[in-house]
Amino acid sequence: MSFTLDTIVPWGRSFDEYVAMFALTNNDLQKHILGCGDGPAAFNATLTAQGGRVTSIDPLYQCSAHDIRQRINETYDTVLAQTRNNQHEFVWKSIHSVEELGQIRLAAMNDFLADYERGKQQARYLAHELPQLPFANQQFDLAICSHLLFLYSEQLSLAFHFEAILELCRVANEVRIFPLLELGAKPSRHLQTVADMLEKQGYNIIVRKVNYEFQRGGNQMMQIEKIA
Ligand SMILES: C[S@@+](CC[C@H](N)C(=O)[O-])C[C@H]1O[C@@H](n2cnc3c(N)ncnc32)[C@H](O)[C@@H]1O
């Protein structure tokens, strides 16, 4: 299916959320990182400003900053209204209210937009999409994927998940995926089968509890490495 901006809802998390979701240490932040499906998140902008090395891929990056901003403005109220209607699915501990959530997400997306044109010139924002990536084997130390794989288990098949994760494992030495829940705050229907399939291919799978939980029960990250 070809990508169109009017079918997507741009929604980006902050650098601090990425650090918590993926349990990123100072050592991890020195690595060459691939962010997969980063959308309008602020991770790339902030890490680059701190001297880090990060490339983000997302089909969204076919679009101009102007068009992404317009789409954020068009969809922002709807996303907040949906969150308000489903407040019980979230943990309001670090983020205390729907209004605060909106402010945090908007600040992150504004940081992304301020960095976007320069980042595109520097090839830090590339319009590619899983399950195939145009990178060399082990080009990155670490690939991270936030709120795409497993979250959209109803929309993205088991075969897609398996192919996409193998591709991430091809281009990076280590892969981390968060969350392990699908929409509706239920465990992903693909999780166990994907883990079994990856283990059969010689990968070591660790499910780690992390210090981040916004989707209720969504406080686990999958870490995947090739067994040497
Ligand atoms: C819910 S957003 C998450 C954005 C960001 N990772 C975050 O956590 O704030 C999901 C993103 O995945 C992107 N996406 C959808 N299909 C993709 C694919 N096949 N490969 C890479 N990214 C994809 C969307 O364009 C969107 O920006």
Side-chain angles (χ1 to χ4, degrees):
M1 196 171 66
S2 62
F3 172 88
T4 58
L5 187 56
D6 58 2
T7 61
I8 86 134
V9 178
W11 201 233
R13 286 164 187 80
S14 70
F15 176 79
D16 289 346
E17 289 181 284
Y18 263 63
V19 168
M21 291 185 294
F22 294 109
L24 295 171
T25 61
N26 285 340
N27 188 37
D28 290 329
L29 293 170
Q30 311 291 318
K31 293 178 178 170
H32 192 194
I33 299 178
L34 173 67
C36 218
D38 274 345
F43 181 70
N44 190 318
T46 308
L47 184 57
T48 302
Q50 293 177 2
R53 282 187 306 156
V54 54
T55 301
S56 297
I57 67 107
D58 197 300
L60 179 70
Y61 305 151
Q62 294 164 38
C63 305
S64 67
H66 171 272
D67 288 350
I68 297 174
R69 184 181 294 282
Q70 193 171 322
R71 186 71 188 143
I72 291 170
N73 292 339
E74 280 165 9
T75 54
Y76 180 78
D77 288 337
T78 312
V79 178
L80 286 197
Q82 282 169 355
T83 310
R84 204 170 277 115
N85 290 339
N86 295 296
Q87 281 193 54
H88 59 282
E89 286 184 15
F90 303 95
V91 175
W92 299 97
K93 208 160 125 196
S94 317
I95 301 172
H96 301 95
S97 65
V98 175
E99 290 66 35
E100 189 183 342
L101 172 72
Q103 284 158 14
I104 290 172
R105 293 284 182 273
L106 207 50
M109 293 192 284
N110 281 332
D111 288 348
F112 160 80
L113 285 168
D115 178 56
Y116 183 56
E117 290 305 340
R118 193 179 23 178
K120 271 179 117 168
Q121 284 161 17
Q122 295 173 345
R124 287 187 286 109
Y125 297 111
L126 299 173
H128 301 307
E129 59 188 288
L130 288 168
Q132 272 157 13
L133 300 175
F135 301 120
N137 293 351
Q138 263 58 68
Q139 185 169 330
F140 299 92
D141 302 314
L142 173 63
I144 55 179
C145 184
S146 153
H147 292 84
L148 170 62
L149 293 170
F150 296 128
L151 184 67
Y152 293 101
S153 286
E154 188 178 347
Q155 294 78 3
L156 300 171
S157 69
L158 173 65
F160 177 92
H161 275 75
F162 187 51
E163 201 183 337
I165 296 171
L166 280 182
E167 182 70 344
L168 291 173
C169 291
R170 182 186 69 77
V171 303
N173 293 325
E174 184 194 334
V175 175
R176 298 185 193 183
I177 303 171
F178 182 95
L180 307 184
L181 299 182
E182 60 181 61
L183 293 174
K186 295 182 290 196
S188 159
R189 66 195 71 188
H190 301 319
L191 188 63
Q192 192 55 54
T193 315
V194 165
D196 293 345
M197 289 162 89
L198 289 168
E199 275 174 354
K200 281 202 188 115
Q201 297 282 324
Y203 290 94
N204 188 34
I205 313 291
I206 299 172
V207 171
R208 277 176 66 181
K209 187 164 183 236
V210 294
N211 193 18
Y212 180 92
E213 182 179 0
F214 183 52
Q215 226 186 344
R216 194 171 288 285
N219 60 358
Q220 289 186 318
M221 179 236 331
M222 181 181 276
Q223 209 168 336
I224 308 158
E225 278 179 272
K226 187 85 181 164
I227 296 170

